[in-house]
Amino acid sequence: MLSGKAVLLLGIFSLSVFGLVDFSQSAFAQSITINPTSGPEGTTVTIDGTGFSGFSSPQISFDGVGIGFAPTDATGTFTGFAYDIPIGTSGGPHTFTTAPPSTSEVFTVITPFTWDGNSDGDGDGVNWSDPLNWDADAVPGSGDTAIIPSGFTAQVDVDTTITVLQNFGTVGIHNARTLTITSSLVNDGTVAFHTNGGASTTTLAFQDDATLTGGGIIDMMQPAPDRIIQTEVDGNPNGPLIIPSGHTINAGGNAQHIKGLMANTGDMTNNGVINLSNIAVLEINPLNTFINTGTIESSDDSIMRFKFETTDLFQQNGVFRALDTSDIELGFGTLTDNDHLSSPTIIAAPTATAEVENDMTFNSVSIDPTTTLGLHNARTLTIINNLHNPGTVAFHTNGGA
């Protein structure tokens, strides 16, 4: 703090101030923001700050205990200070503060609900909706975190919305029910559709930018129209739903009940494995873009159908193949492969088929030597850059003149 006369020169003018002039940090309007503002223990919280002194290092504290320093830039701003809420932190509000000077934000630790089935003798051991199957003797809902331990099976018998689901056992979604994830599905077990039979539409929905992580399995093997989609509530465009490396989606059933990925609700990136078998039909229908860096494989007499719009993009940089007598159906949009000279874009066994059923564009695509690519009657396949074709491209594979 300085006293006396301060002079600010502005060109040929001057501004004189008599009295006290405050050049300390408290002369700025400091603030911090945290994201997210709630979650279970173990949540990673990102802290950003503005209004601090340039090139300073305000200390960050959690519940009064210093957890580090956040260097600011010339404007007094810092971004991306990350902190993991310690395991064992009690449920309820906890405070992040800075010093000097002091500004704060509150993070609320959500106490998870853990499935105990009938291990304590009071629940039915089956249904999600039975409060006695949970350790708190209450059913988790929107805003909560649920944990299914290894060795346990929880059946979602009612439409359910949950913020975080950590699954290390089995979660069954009953016929005609929807399980909605609003933040994160950590799946290191199995999520299975139609575990009580039936043939009505059954849904696993990821709200807004909810994520899927873990190395588990999603099974859509029953003869019923199962689907995985995104839903939008916050009004912002959703990012792609990412199938992580090590994760597997199994789809099976029959041709009468078409299974779906995305149903034109959002984009998808597959870094894991998508398996289709039996005589099932799986429609992959992104909002704009589908990216594959993992494996997509059809077998038996199944049909892998890419239900694209004219402007949609299928970026294929992984393994994409049809085995046995299965079929790949392509139509509309653009298929592109950034690595087409190193590995084939499309692989179809001699007994399998790969068909272009509507007008489509190939941009740097390679066909495996075993593959016959069929071009349907009255359709146009446009080639951009090049088509590497050691296999066969056949016209009018569906007849017509």
Side-chain angles (χ1 to χ4, degrees):
M1 184 81 71
L2 301 178
S3 62
K5 178 179 179 180
V7 178
L8 177 64
L9 297 178
L10 302 173
I12 62 173
F13 302 97
S14 66
L15 172 68
S16 299
V17 180
F18 293 88
L20 299 178
V21 181
D22 189 352
F23 291 112
S24 69
Q25 283 183 315
S26 58
F28 300 90
Q30 295 84 14
S31 66
I32 60 173
T33 58
I34 62 174
N35 184 43
T37 58
S38 65
E41 53 190 291
T43 297
T44 298
V45 179
T46 300
I47 307 167
D48 299 330
T50 59
F52 295 87
S53 294
F55 302 117
S56 64
S57 295
Q59 185 179 39
I60 310 295
S61 297
F62 181 69
D63 285 347
V65 177
I67 58 175
F69 296 87
T72 66
D73 61 17
T75 67
T77 298
F78 68 86
T79 59
F81 183 96
Y83 179 68
D84 294 337
I85 303 298
I87 300 299
T89 302
S90 61
H94 297 265
T95 304
F96 286 97
T97 56
T98 62
S102 179
T103 183
S104 64
E105 283 290 333
V106 173
F107 179 86
T108 302
V109 174
I110 300 172
T111 302
F113 291 68
T114 300
W115 178 273
D116 62 18
N118 196 33
S119 60
D120 55 2
D122 59 356
D124 66 14
V126 177
N127 291 316
W128 183 287
S129 64
D130 184 347
L132 300 181
N133 287 326
W134 300 93
D135 62 345
D137 288 343
V139 178
S142 178
D144 293 326
T145 293
I147 299 174
I148 312 300
S150 177
F152 286 86
T153 298
Q155 303 287 353
V156 178
D157 58 316
V158 295
D159 290 343
T160 296
T161 298
I162 192 79
T163 296
V164 177
L165 175 56
Q166 299 176 356
N167 176 43
F168 305 98
T170 299
V171 173
I173 308 176
H174 278 194
N175 179 55
R177 302 307 181 198
T178 296
L179 172 61
T180 300
I181 309 296
T182 64
S183 179
S184 175
L185 169 57
V186 182
N187 182 34
D188 283 306
T190 298
V191 176
F193 286 65
H194 286 278
T195 44
N196 68 327
S200 298
T201 300
T202 301
T203 304
L204 174 60
F206 292 83
Q207 181 176 303
D208 297 323
D209 289 314
T211 60
L212 171 65
T213 59
I217 297 170
I218 298 176
D219 266 343
M220 302 190 294
M221 295 299 295
Q222 298 301 314
D226 307 322
R227 61 182 191 156
I228 298 174
I229 63 170
Q230 282 183 314
T231 58
E232 185 177 324
V233 173
D234 63 8
N236 297 316
N238 295 329
L241 175 61
I242 298 174
I243 310 302
S245 175
H247 220 97
T248 300
I249 297 177
N250 293 322
N254 58 36
Q256 285 72 42
H257 300 99
I258 297 173
K259 299 179 184 299
L261 295 180
M262 305 319 291
N264 204 38
T265 61
D267 297 330
M268 175 176 277
T269 296
N270 175 48
N271 299 327
V273 176
I274 300 174
N275 286 323
L276 179 63
S277 59
N278 307 138
I279 57 172
V281 178
L282 176 65
E283 286 188 350
I284 298 177
N285 182 15
L287 184 61
N288 295 298
T289 304
F290 179 82
I291 299 173
N292 177 48
T293 65
T295 298
I296 307 173
E297 185 174 273
S298 59
S299 61
D300 300 328
D301 293 317
S302 61
I303 298 174
M304 186 83 70
R305 180 178 296 153
F306 290 83
K307 192 176 180 181
F308 285 11
E309 304 295 332
T310 303
T311 58
D312 289 349
L313 174 67
F314 177 11
Q315 183 173 322
Q316 161 38 23
N317 301 124
V319 177
F320 178 36
R321 62 187 169 212
L323 303 176
D324 303 324
T325 55
S326 63
D327 186 18
I328 294 171
E329 296 180 357
L330 299 168
F332 296 121
T334 298
L335 172 63
T336 184
D337 185 351
N338 297 334
D339 196 30
H340 71 287
L341 294 179
S342 299
S343 58
T345 310
I346 304 172
I347 305 172
T351 53
T353 58
E355 304 283 330
V356 177
E357 299 191 343
N358 291 288
D359 294 346
M360 195 170 185
T361 299
F362 280 10
N363 184 355
S364 300
V365 168
S366 174
I367 298 173
D368 185 74
T370 65
T371 300
T372 296
L373 180 70
L375 181 59
H376 279 199
N377 178 56
R379 302 309 181 197
T380 298
L381 177 61
T382 302
I383 307 300
I384 298 178
N385 291 323
N386 60 74
L387 172 66
H388 182 61
N389 178 33
T392 301
V393 176
F395 285 67
H396 290 278
T397 48
N398 68 327

